[in-house]
């Protein structure tokens, strides 16, 4: 029976395939670039074919590399699950969940006590790092993400469909120079979330003002900080209607009466095989049934 190549070389291959460069993958794994390259070469030698096309601006998968990536990801996912079960022989279920802070604060955490009462065996590790979809199966089991669409290779369940609200400090609405019409956005800064960069673009097209340009645009990677910046009068935040409603902040107001559908939705996302993991399946079923 042929010997398997080292597991470390398989993990190295998947990281390089995910990042597209040896440098980024080496940084992720805490290895030197030569050490990572040697692991890739070990795997290529075992398979007998190159897995990457190497060019001056990075790497791209060969046909053999793409085939191996698709087959290897789920196998390593299952192996991680086996190791986790072996290291936790009690009845505890643990979910590694990536989630945006504002969704967690406004929608998930208020409902977690009922989940804990119903399933005290389930424990959830929370992280809020970006690029969640790329990290599924490698550090996280599932994610609640904000996107226009999801990679069809992943399992995804849409959690909502919302409206876009311009949200501002009450002082901008009833101060000395109140903002009462969209044209006045030309003299203010607008605030956009990095996960929703086209929100204002879609909003201004929907209201029939594609030419409208604000004085400036500031980007945030935190929804709670966006709301606080808007409340402090730093700018007008373009966010979802429930972000405004669930904030219950008397300092904030919705500007204008335009009813504009958001191009973005919250999604529950995981690798298809992850739904076979008890913790993922339990949380998924509860989340959809609870209509959070």
């Amino acid at each position: 029976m042929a010997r398997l190549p080292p597991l470390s070389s398989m993990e190295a291959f998947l990281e390089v395939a995910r990042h597209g460069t040896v440098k980024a993958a080496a940084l992720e794994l805490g290895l030197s670039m030569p050490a990572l390259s040697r692991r890739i070469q070990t795997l290529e030698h075992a398979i007998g074919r190159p897995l990457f096309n190497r060019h001056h601006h990075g790497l791209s998968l060969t046909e053999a590399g793409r085939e191996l990536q698709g087959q290897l990801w789920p196998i390593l996912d299952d192996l991680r699950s086996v190791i986790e079960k072996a290291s936790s022989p009690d009845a505890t279920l643990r979910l590694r969940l990536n989630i945006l802070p504002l969704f967690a604060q406004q929608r998930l955490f208020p409902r977690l006590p009922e989940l804990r009462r119903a399933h005290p065996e389930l424990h959830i590790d929370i992280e809020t790092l970006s690029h969640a979809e790329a990290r599924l199966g490698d550090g996280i089991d599932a994610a609640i993400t904000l996107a226009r669409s999801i990679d069809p290779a992943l399992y995804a369940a849409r959690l909502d469909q919302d409206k876009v609200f311009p949200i501002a400090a009450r002082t901008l609405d009833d101060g000395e120079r109140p903002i009462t019409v969209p044209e006045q956005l030309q003299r203010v800064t607008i605030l956009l979330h990095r996960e929703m960069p086209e929100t204002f673009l879609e909003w201004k097209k929907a209201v029939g003002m594609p030419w409208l340009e604000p004085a400036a645009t500031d980007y945030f990677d935190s929804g709670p900080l966006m709301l606080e910046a808007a409340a402090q009068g730093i700018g007008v935040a373009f966010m979802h209607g429930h972000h405004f409603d669930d904030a219950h902040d008397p300092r904030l107001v919705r500007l204008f009466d335009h009813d504009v559908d958001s191009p973005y939705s919250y999604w529950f996302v995981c690798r298809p095989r992850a739904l076979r993991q008890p913790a993922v399946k339990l949380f998924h079923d509860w989340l959809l049934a609870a209509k959070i």
Side-chain angles (χ1 to χ4, degrees), residues 5-44 47 51-52 54 59 61 65 68-69 72-73 76 79-80 137-138:
L7 180 61
S8 59
S9 66
M10 301 182 206
E11 291 178 318
F13 161 70
L14 290 176
E15 282 300 317
V16 175
R18 180 163 70 91
H19 288 284
T21 68
V22 171
K23 181 179 180 180
L27 183 63
E28 181 80 16
L29 293 171
L31 296 170
S32 67
M33 292 174 60
L36 184 58
S37 295
R38 285 194 295 271
R39 293 187 182 187
I40 298 297
Q41 290 166 5
T42 297
L43 185 59
E44 289 180 322
I47 292 174
L51 299 172
F52 293 100
R54 293 163 171 83
L59 302 172
L61 288 166
L68 180 63
Q69 182 190 31
L72 198 55
W73 263 123
L76 289 189
L79 182 57
R80 290 187 182 98
D138 182 22

Side-chain angles (χ1 to χ4, degrees), residues 23-276:
K23 181 179 180 180
L27 183 63
E28 181 80 16
L29 293 171
L31 296 170
S32 67
M33 292 174 60
L36 184 58
S37 295
R38 285 194 295 271
R39 293 187 182 187
I40 298 297
Q41 290 166 5
T42 297
L43 185 59
E44 289 180 322
H45 178 74
I47 292 174
R49 289 188 290 174
L51 299 172
F52 293 100
N53 297 309
R54 293 163 171 83
H55 35 78
H56 69 280
H57 53 80
L59 302 172
S60 61
L61 288 166
T62 63
E63 183 176 349
R66 285 192 297 272
E67 183 178 352
L68 180 63
Q69 182 190 31
Q71 294 176 343
L72 198 55
W73 263 123
I75 292 172
L76 289 189
D77 282 351
D78 286 347
L79 182 57
R80 290 187 182 98
S81 296
V82 169
I83 297 300
E84 287 178 1
K85 290 178 183 177
S87 62
S88 302
D90 58 16
T92 298
L93 298 178
R94 188 163 296 278
L95 172 70
R96 300 170 300 176
L97 179 68
N98 183 285
I99 188 169
L100 292 170
L102 195 57
F103 186 97
Q105 176 185 323
Q106 291 187 337
R107 297 173 62 176
L108 179 62
F109 285 178
R111 304 289 296 276
L112 277 184
E114 67 185 64
L115 174 61
R116 177 58 55 85
R117 288 191 295 270
H119 299 284
E121 74 280 13
L122 178 65
H123 292 266
I124 304 176
D125 294 334
I126 298 287
E127 70 162 49
T128 59
L129 299 177
S130 58
H131 308 299
E133 289 181 50
R135 300 180 56 249
L136 289 168
D138 182 22
I140 59 173
D141 302 312
I144 296 177
T145 187
L146 190 58
R148 296 185 75 129
S149 61
I150 301 296
D151 183 342
L154 298 174
Y155 169 82
R158 190 195 298 268
L159 301 180
D160 68 3
Q161 183 67 56
D162 212 330
K163 305 292 184 181
V164 176
F165 279 18
I167 304 170
R170 188 171 297 278
T171 53
L172 290 181
D173 185 53
D174 59 11
E176 293 182 359
R177 300 177 62 196
I179 295 179
T180 58
V181 293
E183 289 86 346
Q184 291 173 299
L185 293 174
Q186 294 176 103
R187 60 178 169 87
V188 302
T189 297
I190 65 168
L191 313 177
L192 298 179
H193 198 288
R194 292 193 182 279
E195 300 286 340
M196 304 168 62
E198 298 177 357
T199 307
F200 178 65
L201 175 64
E202 296 296 333
W203 183 86
K204 67 181 183 178
K205 288 195 303 184
V207 302
M209 299 181 183
W211 47 265
L212 186 63
E213 292 298 332
T217 302
D218 292 346
Y219 290 90
F220 287 68
D221 64 3
S222 167
L225 291 181
M226 275 186 73
L227 287 173
E228 184 60 28
Q232 296 292 345
I234 293 173
V236 175
F238 279 78
M239 303 179 73
H240 280 172
H242 72 259
H243 292 149
F244 171 74
D245 295 335
D246 294 345
H248 303 295
D249 191 334
R251 299 173 299 168
L252 295 171
V253 294
R254 173 191 177 182
L255 299 179
F256 322 128
D257 294 323
H258 299 287
D259 199 20
V260 176
D261 290 331
S262 173
Y264 298 93
S265 294
Y266 281 105
W267 303 77
F268 173 89
V269 186
C270 67
R271 293 188 174 278
R273 280 177 171 257
L275 285 174
R276 290 162 37 186

